[in-house]
Amino acid sequence: MAVAGCGSPSSNNGSSDGGGAKGIETQESAFDPTAKGPAAEVPGAKKGGVITVFSQVTPNTFDPTDTYYADALAIEKLIFRSPTQFAIRNGKPVLVPDLTDLGTVSSDKLTWTFKMQSGIKYADGSEVKVEDLAYAIKRSFAHDVFANGPTYQLTTFKDGDKYKGPYAGGDSFAGVETPDPTTLVVHLARPFADLPLYLTFPVFTPIPKAKDTKENYKNNPLATGPYQFDTYTPGTELKLKKNPNWDPNTDAVRHQYPDGFDFKWGGEDPKTQQQVLNSAGEDANALNSYSIDASVIPQVSGDKKAQLIQGEQPCTYSVQLDTRKIPLEVRKAIAKAYPYDQLNKAGGLNSFNSQPASTVLPPSVPGYTKYDPLPGLSGVGQGDPAGAKADLEAAGKVGFELSWYYDNTKPVPQQTNQIRVDALKAAGFTVKPIGVTTAELRSKIADYDAPVNMGQAPQGWCSDWPSGGSWFPVLFQSHSVEDGTAWGMLTDKALDAKIDEIGNLPADQAVAKWGELDKEIMGKYVALPRYYGKLAFVIGTNIGGAEGDASAGEPFYLNMFLKN
């Protein structure tokens, strides 16, 4: 899934730069097909009050079809239910039934059948129907309207490469059918053993066709989870209130302890993290969801240690280099000149929130292979502008123009931008950074036709599930450019075929092959690896039930409560 932020670390698309620390424990998924609601009570949990969540980074949408940033996905678990879902047990994700069971697959592996729970309602009191699940699936193919959502269905579902969604393609789609009121059938173009894991995404939350308002749906989507929209000011604040029609007896994962949540975006993270740690008044009921800033580490290493929540984050953050526009020898010169250490320090990276990266896959994903870093791709070092300039001179590329977007409204991204400008200028490049507001940033970096050639989205990637199969097909196949999920904008048919070949292997055989492919792709200099994310966030003294969601590297809001 895409990851966030610009100028400091986070768990979705960003422009931050890398840190240092111990390796991350391998993430594994378990399955519990027998799990049923209600979810087990959280020890000491109480009801009532409102939890405030601060973050500098602003989610760009809450349309479930269009969501692929980890911070928004974490929030949407409060609002939307999906066919399957991850529970967090002993810190690890466990796949459990949600709206449906975990499915059964046909002998040829091309047809999956899911049985749906009955009696589930939307926040408006209307019944959730299996046809609404099917409609949501069809809606996910309207990629011209919802360009940012996940795209596995486009390449794995039957006729997924042809169908253009219900607006342009009508209701007839061979990839999904509903033979009776409790059965959802998915037809595949090729085996996709991870489908039950994929169905945890809100792109599969039910949407009634009659209530689909297309681009406006994001402003007040229909809730099935324990909370629904109360008030929403895009880019600034989202207040959630209780959904009175959520039935805990049907939900094996979620709780409804607080009366509501208040998500506030745009404030500088070091400032709001200090507020949370001070816990004066209402700030005791708050948390900051962003990775901990270096400025507050001395406090959480001391008397406020209990206010630090740590966990796994299956993510790698990077700086994109557009291979369509930047020749290989120039990409290598950028890597040689890149001022990792300076950017890491200015961006607030530290051993709590990051570990220097030199690969595509992070250590928490099976298939990760620690090979010797390629020149300039170690995530550390002050850069060698003089050496890079000599390489540009040899290639006849002195003065090559580099352009990127950055957030010009906050001190940290302004500072990291200037560090990058100074280093690349010293290396003989012409630089053209384009400043935009925090609210504009995600849409700007997601535009592959924009007048920039580096730093595009996704600026980081987190496992959709723990396998190289949720990385390489999404980031490096030719369709990734059209899908808006490419690192480096590669269109290489031989590479496409190699990724398909590995993806079709049994999981245990594919693991080592993904590791080999990792090094091959890094050798193309499609991106500068910055850091592997680590989860570390701060909570107010009145917050209970706080833990990390190892499936996404975000806070797990579903178990949180206020102690008093």
Side-chain angles (χ1 to χ4, degrees):
M1 66 195 76
V3 293
C6 200
S8 40
S10 134
S11 43
N12 270 353
N13 253 312
S15 251
S16 9
D17 303 88
K22 299 176 183 176
I24 303 170
E25 188 179 339
T26 298
Q27 179 188 353
E28 298 173 356
S29 287
F31 296 76
D32 182 3
T34 65
K36 295 179 180 179
E41 291 295 325
V42 177
K46 296 180 180 179
K47 293 192 174 184
V50 174
I51 291 178
T52 298
V53 183
F54 296 110
S55 177
Q56 181 172 312
V57 173
T58 306
N60 63 329
T61 185
F62 288 102
D63 188 302
T65 308
D66 211 26
T67 304
Y68 210 3
Y69 280 88
D71 53 353
L73 291 170
I75 295 168
E76 289 181 9
K77 288 185 179 184
L78 293 165
I79 306 165
F80 304 125
R81 297 182 64 178
S82 47
T84 60
Q85 191 50 260
F86 285 114
I88 303 300
R89 299 178 184 171
N90 299 317
K92 296 290 187 180
V94 178
L95 190 74
V96 300
D98 195 356
L99 296 178
T100 73
D101 62 10
L102 299 188
T104 55
V105 66
S106 61
S107 58
D108 66 0
K109 312 298 184 187
L110 296 178
T111 300
W112 280 85
T113 302
F114 298 88
K115 286 293 184 178
M116 186 174 173
Q117 282 200 70
S118 59
I120 297 173
K121 296 180 179 180
Y122 293 105
D124 65 2
S126 60
E127 181 185 359
V128 174
K129 298 180 178 180
V130 72
E131 290 83 5
D132 302 344
L133 282 175
Y135 181 74
I137 291 173
K138 295 174 185 177
R139 192 177 189 259
S140 74
F141 287 86
H143 214 58
D144 56 330
V145 179
F146 309 112
N148 301 306
T151 58
Y152 296 94
Q153 69 278 16
L154 305 186
T155 56
T156 58
F157 285 26
K158 186 177 181 180
D159 287 352
D161 57 340
K162 303 171 187 172
Y163 183 60
K164 300 302 179 185
Y167 314 132
D171 284 333
S172 181
F173 170 49
V176 64
E177 63 173 317
T178 53
D180 63 60
T182 64
T183 305
L184 176 75
V185 177
V186 175
H187 297 287
L188 301 175
R190 57 185 176 86
F192 184 29
D194 291 340
L195 180 60
L197 297 160
Y198 187 31
L199 293 182
T200 59
F201 276 79
V203 68
F204 299 108
T205 197
I207 298 175
K209 181 180 179 181
K211 296 179 181 178
D212 180 10
T213 53
K214 293 182 71 173
E215 293 94 339
N216 292 324
Y217 193 73
K218 63 186 177 185
N219 296 318
N220 192 16
L222 208 50
T224 46
Y227 296 91
Q228 61 178 316
F229 275 35
D230 184 4
T231 62
Y232 178 40
T233 305
T236 303
E237 185 176 31
L238 170 63
K239 290 185 177 182
L240 300 180
K241 61 183 179 181
K242 284 185 175 181
N243 169 9
N245 285 296
W246 171 75
D247 181 0
N249 293 314
T250 68
D251 197 325
V253 180
R254 299 168 183 82
H255 297 285
Q256 197 183 50
Y257 294 136
D259 293 330
F261 286 81
D262 186 359
F263 293 89
K264 294 184 176 183
W265 306 297
E268 294 175 25
D269 285 315
K271 179 182 177 183
T272 58
Q273 287 173 7
Q274 189 61 62
Q275 283 179 230
V276 167
L277 287 173
N278 292 343
S279 288
E282 289 299 312
D283 287 336
N285 302 334
L287 63 105
N288 178 290
S289 64
Y290 219 57
S291 294
I292 185 172
D293 188 77
S295 65
V296 301
I297 284 178
Q299 297 170 70
V300 298
S301 300
D303 59 344
K304 297 183 184 294
K305 188 175 182 179
Q307 291 180 251
L308 173 67
I309 306 297
Q310 294 179 275
E312 296 180 358
Q313 192 187 70
C315 309
T316 302
Y317 295 79
S318 66
V319 180
Q320 286 248 35
L321 302 178
D322 192 334
T323 61
R324 302 172 302 178
K325 301 177 180 179
I326 309 176
L328 178 61
E329 63 270 24
V330 177
R331 302 198 298 273
K332 288 183 176 181
I334 296 170
K336 182 174 284 190
Y338 210 69
Y340 292 104
D341 290 353
Q342 300 93 308
L343 289 166
N344 296 348
K345 183 178 179 180
L349 296 192
N350 53 71
S351 62
F352 285 81
N353 60 29
S354 61
Q355 174 184 349
S358 59
T359 60
V360 176
L361 290 179
S364 57
V365 175
Y368 164 78
T369 303
K370 187 175 182 179
Y371 50 82
D372 290 337
L374 294 162
L377 302 182
S378 65
V380 296
Q382 298 190 359
D384 178 8
K389 189 170 187 178
D391 290 348
L392 286 182
E393 288 171 347
K397 297 292 185 181
V398 172
F400 192 95
E401 183 176 283
L402 300 176
S403 184
W404 60 85
Y405 288 112
Y406 74 101
D407 184 340
N408 65 358
T409 68
K410 301 284 189 305
V412 171
Q414 288 173 340
Q415 184 181 358
T416 55
N417 176 70
Q418 193 59 51
I419 291 169
R420 193 178 293 116
V421 165
D422 292 345
L424 294 175
K425 272 188 174 180
F429 291 100
T430 299
V431 296
K432 186 182 177 183
I434 303 173
V436 297
T437 66
T438 306
E440 293 178 298
L441 184 63
R442 284 194 181 174
S443 60
K444 291 290 188 182
I445 62 176
D447 181 2
Y448 287 1
D449 295 322
V452 296
N453 56 11
M454 61 183 288
Q456 296 105 316
Q459 295 177 337
W461 196 258
C462 299
S463 281
D464 290 324
W465 52 84
S467 160
S470 74
W471 289 73
F472 296 96
V474 198
L475 298 174
F476 303 115
Q477 286 194 310
S478 297
H479 62 80
S480 306
V481 178
E482 184 178 351
D483 296 344
T485 59
W487 273 12
M489 320 302 173
L490 295 174
T491 52
D492 182 336
K493 290 185 177 180
L495 180 61
D496 293 348
K498 185 174 292 187
I499 291 172
D500 282 338
E501 181 181 343
I502 298 172
N504 289 331
L505 291 172
D508 57 338
Q509 296 178 29
V511 170
K513 296 291 186 182
W514 289 132
E516 294 169 10
L517 187 63
D518 191 307
K519 186 173 184 179
E520 178 182 332
I521 289 175
M522 269 295 160
K524 298 177 184 292
Y525 285 74
V526 298
L528 310 177
R530 302 177 321 210
Y531 63 96
Y532 310 121
K534 296 171 69 178
L535 184 64
F537 64 97
V538 292
I539 60 171
T541 53
N542 198 34
I543 298 281
E547 63 180 323
D549 180 350
S551 73
E554 287 286 324
F556 191 68
Y557 299 112
L558 306 184
N559 289 341
M560 290 185 186
F561 61 90
L562 294 178
K563 299 174 186 176
N564 301 302

